[in-house]
């Protein structure tokens, strides 16, 4: 089994905790931005930006603007991952934070269709693209930084904190929407929704304060110290890492599709088809997110004990079977059944399996282009997975007379792709992260003792 690098106990653990907090709060902002946008797409954007369309067309158009953010993510990922592997993880994480927060703030200031006509949805799409561009390297950067900063045997747990941030962002977004929905309907549609987006400035400021004091990852410092020429991560990953980028893309594809189907599409489905009170949706998202954050850490710890591949295989296998019984329970309309479905969805698809991915993916790639490899794999999957999933599901509902069966089949099939891709990917637990080569089944045999020796070397030079 290849040994995964994790800095040793001699390293200043206050720096490790600072890295964990920085990664967590950045992902909090990213998911806060995306959740408030996704909820707005389900609840208000159709009426505000596409008022002349039928409800079904307005819903599809609204989710199309949601998809634009995911189309922009690979562009941002390509741009920022290049600098992340050349200049360091910290620089990228500060820059992406400002772009994400600024784009969300601008959405809260946009005029609506009634005010400026067709320019309103155009500006909405541009702001959404800005969100996606900034988010393109955010989670990958946080995951890489934390994976490279954690002690041997704790990398899964530490990197899973990225998804605790994701859960916190979802929970905060749900709380803000609950507050907005407490307003009178006219007030909520006139200015309440704007406050939801303007509130992102508080999360952005808090994240910036923390990230400005962030230290670079010790693994990156060691790589920078020993390399003889400037890296060309995109050229390197294109030449040597295509197979593993494809693996990460396929492992993420189904997970991303199911995750955003649960977080975004389900709100519209419950309101328009099941007849649930819109005010119930943020409450369910809040409960699901809190449970998902706990699950992310639990699965991360479990992966430190029994391996990344095994844990991800178990979760994705369960998610292949999840959609059909989930929709049967949702159709019953029972609040308890709805909460159960959403909690399981968050614990497995939205946070749980992605929590393990946060350490699994950086371990797959060698040190030459780790940031670029993780980012490209995850963000290409965002185009074919999470970005268009709510739009596809809305289209399937319209095409098949509101039947849930085609949607459930779609969700199961895309997750089957992720399950198969996981089974075709080597185990990476305790791999030496200073190794420039990608993980391969044949070379996956470095012991924990050798990794600890590498850790000691890294710690000595970082000091």
């Amino acid at each position: 089994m290849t040994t995964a690098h994790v800095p040793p106990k001699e390293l200043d653990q206050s720096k490790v905790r600072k890295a964990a907090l920085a990664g967590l709060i950045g992902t909090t902002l990213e998911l806060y931005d995306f959740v408030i946008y996704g909820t707005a797409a389900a609840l208000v954007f159709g009426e505000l930006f596409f008022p002349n369309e039928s409800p079904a067309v307005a819903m599809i158009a609204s989710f199309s603007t949601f998809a634009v953010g995911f189309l922009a993510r690979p562009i941002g990922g390509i741009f920022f991952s290049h600098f992340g592997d050349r200049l360091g993880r910290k620089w990228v994480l500060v820059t992406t934070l400002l772009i994400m927060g600024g784009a969300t703030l601008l959405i809260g200031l946009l005029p609506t269709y009634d005010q400026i006509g067709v320019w309103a949805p155009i500006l909405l799409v541009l702001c959404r693209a800005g969100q996606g561009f900034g988010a393109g390297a955010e989670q990958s950067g946080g995951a890489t930084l934390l994976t490279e900063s954690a002690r041997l045997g704790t990398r899964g747990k530490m990197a899973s904190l990225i998804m605790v941030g994701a859960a916190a962002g979802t929970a905060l977004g749900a709380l803000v929407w609950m507050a907005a929905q407490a307003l009178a309907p006219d007030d909520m549609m006139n200015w309440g929704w704007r406050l939801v987006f303007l509130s992102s400035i508080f999360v952005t400021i808090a994240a910036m304060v923390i990230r400005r004091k962030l230290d670079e990852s010790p693994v990156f410092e060691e790589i920078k110290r020993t390399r003889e020429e400037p890296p060309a991560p995109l050229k390197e990953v294109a030449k040597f890492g295509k197979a593993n980028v494809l693996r990460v893309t396929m492992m993420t594809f189904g997970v991303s599709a199911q995750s955003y189907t649960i977080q975004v599409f389900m709100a519209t489905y419950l309101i328009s088809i099941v007849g649930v009170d819109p005010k119930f949706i943020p409450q369910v998202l809040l409960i699901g997110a809190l449970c998902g954050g706990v699950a992310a850490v639990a699965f991360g710890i479990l992966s430190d004990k029994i391996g990344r591949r095994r844990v991800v295989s178990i979760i994705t296998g369960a998610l292949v079977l999840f959609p059909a019984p989930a929709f049967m329970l949702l159709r019953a309309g029972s609040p308890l059944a709805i909460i159960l479905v959403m909690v399981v969805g968050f614990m497995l698809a939205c946070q749980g399996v992605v929590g393990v991915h946060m350490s699994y993916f950086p371990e797959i790639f060698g040190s030459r282009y780790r940031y670029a490899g993780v980012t490209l794999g995850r963000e290409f999957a965002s185009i074919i997975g999470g970005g268009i999933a709510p739009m596809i599901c809305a289209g399937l509902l319209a095409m098949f007379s509101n039947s849930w069966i085609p949607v459930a089949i779609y969700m199961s099939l895309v997750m089957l792709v992720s399950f198969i891709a996981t089974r075709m990917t080597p185990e990476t637990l305790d791999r030496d992260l200073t190794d420039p080569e990608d993980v391969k089944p044949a070379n996956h045999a470095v012991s924990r003792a050798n990794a600890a020796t590498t850790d000691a070397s890294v710690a000595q030079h970082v000091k």
Side-chain angles (χ1 to χ4, degrees), residues 260-381:
Y260 283 97
T261 297
I262 292 165
Q263 294 183 80
V264 178
F265 169 76
M266 287 301 190
T268 296
Y269 180 81
L270 289 170
I271 293 168
S272 61
I273 306 301
V274 181
V276 170
D277 184 345
K279 293 183 179 179
F280 182 56
I281 301 302
Q283 299 173 27
V284 175
L285 292 176
L286 174 61
I287 296 169
L290 294 175
C291 294
V294 174
V297 177
F299 285 126
I301 293 172
L302 183 63
S303 76
D304 282 329
K305 298 182 182 299
I306 68 173
R308 321 289 185 220
R309 182 171 177 263
R310 185 178 299 176
V311 175
V312 173
S313 296
I314 292 170
I315 299 174
T316 52
L319 286 169
V320 171
L321 307 175
F322 171 73
F327 274 102
M328 291 179 186
L329 287 171
L330 293 178
R331 290 287 294 178
S334 163
L336 186 60
I338 292 171
I339 291 173
L340 175 64
V341 168
M342 297 298 281
V343 164
V344 172
F346 268 87
M347 291 181 70
L348 298 182
C350 301
Q351 265 88 46
V353 68
V354 186
V356 184
H357 283 171
M358 292 297 99
S359 54
Y360 198 179
F361 291 167
E363 291 170 343
I364 288 173
F365 292 99
S367 61
R368 291 179 299 177
Y369 48 76
R370 175 169 296 121
Y371 200 151
V374 175
T375 301
L376 294 178
R378 293 188 79 244
E379 300 311 331
F380 281 132

Side-chain angles (χ1 to χ4, degrees), residues 103-345:
T104 305
L105 194 67
L106 287 175
I107 291 174
L109 301 173
L110 287 180
T112 63
Y113 188 93
D114 288 341
Q115 294 171 312
I116 62 169
V118 71
W119 283 104
I122 292 174
L123 291 174
L124 179 65
V125 167
L126 290 175
C127 288
R128 178 63 180 152
Q131 276 187 325
F133 184 79
E138 173 62 33
Q139 280 190 20
S140 300
T144 301
L145 179 71
L146 268 178
T147 301
E148 292 178 342
S149 298
R151 282 200 312 269
L152 185 65
T154 67
R155 199 182 314 110
K157 178 180 71 173
M158 292 298 292
S160 69
L161 293 176
I162 295 291
M163 297 317 295
V164 174
T170 302
L172 283 174
L175 287 171
V176 171
W177 268 111
M178 287 167 63
Q181 288 179 316
L183 299 169
D186 287 345
D187 289 340
M188 202 269 279
M189 295 300 293
N190 288 332
W191 52 267
W193 69 273
R194 296 184 182 279
L195 294 182
V196 172
F197 287 91
L198 296 176
S199 66
S200 69
I201 191 171
F202 299 108
V203 185
T204 304
I205 291 173
M208 279 302 302
V209 169
I210 292 171
R211 284 198 171 172
R212 283 184 61 192
K213 300 178 181 179
L214 185 63
D215 294 295
E216 190 52 79
S217 111
V219 170
F220 180 80
E221 293 289 0
E222 172 68 4
I223 294 168
K224 186 171 66 174
R225 186 189 70 81
T226 57
R227 69 190 179 199
E228 298 178 356
E229 58 184 33
L234 296 178
K235 182 179 178 181
E236 291 271 300
V237 78
K239 186 175 181 179
F240 301 107
K242 292 189 293 291
N244 280 327
V245 168
L246 181 61
R247 283 191 179 95
V248 170
T249 298
M250 293 298 100
M251 289 170 71
T252 306
F253 168 50
V255 172
S256 177
Q258 275 210 23
S259 174
Y260 283 97
T261 297
I262 292 165
Q263 294 183 80
V264 178
F265 169 76
M266 287 301 190
T268 296
Y269 180 81
L270 289 170
I271 293 168
S272 61
I273 306 301
V274 181
V276 170
D277 184 345
K279 293 183 179 179
F280 182 56
I281 301 302
Q283 299 173 27
V284 175
L285 292 176
L286 174 61
I287 296 169
L290 294 175
C291 294
V294 174
V297 177
F299 285 126
I301 293 172
L302 183 63
S303 76
D304 282 329
K305 298 182 182 299
I306 68 173
R308 321 289 185 220
R309 182 171 177 263
R310 185 178 299 176
V311 175
V312 173
S313 296
I314 292 170
I315 299 174
T316 52
L319 286 169
V320 171
L321 307 175
F322 171 73
F327 274 102
M328 291 179 186
L329 287 171
L330 293 178
R331 290 287 294 178
S334 163
L336 186 60
I338 292 171
I339 291 173
L340 175 64
V341 168
M342 297 298 281
V343 164
V344 172

